[in-house]
Amino acid sequence: MAKGKDVRVTIILECTSCVRNNIKKESAGISRYITQKNRHNTPSRLELKKFCPYCCKHTIHGEIKK
């Protein structure tokens, strides 16, 4: 029996403000979170508000490609 594509996929969320402000080179890195999403319920890119330790505030983290 062949197994189709999994419904739940692992995704990486990356801080959008760290990526935009990376020109300054002041931050030590870019905040990333690993989570899962249901492909059928959320077919578009996922964006969640998470805490960024480099910005020291809650920012929007967007889904990136692996």
Side-chain angles (χ1 to χ4, degrees):
M1 210 174 193
K3 189 175 181 182
K5 288 192 172 186
D6 293 332
V7 176
R8 297 200 68 79
V9 291
T10 305
I11 59 168
I12 300 172
L13 300 174
E14 187 176 77
C15 180
T16 55
S17 63
C18 284
V19 173
R20 283 191 227 130
N21 298 333
N22 201 15
I23 300 168
K24 298 178 189 175
K25 302 290 184 188
E26 293 175 4
S27 63
I30 297 173
S31 174
R32 288 189 174 164
Y33 286 93
I34 298 175
T35 188
Q36 291 183 342
K37 78 170 186 177
N38 190 324
R39 191 180 305 195
H40 294 303
N41 295 339
T42 317
S44 60
R45 296 253 173 169
L46 187 65
E47 286 189 343
L48 295 174
K49 202 165 189 184
K50 305 284 266 180
F51 181 77
C52 178
Y54 302 109
C55 299
C56 296
K57 59 183 176 181
H58 285 84
T59 58
I60 295 176
H61 286 63
E63 182 180 339
I64 62 169
K65 290 185 179 180
K66 289 186 180 179

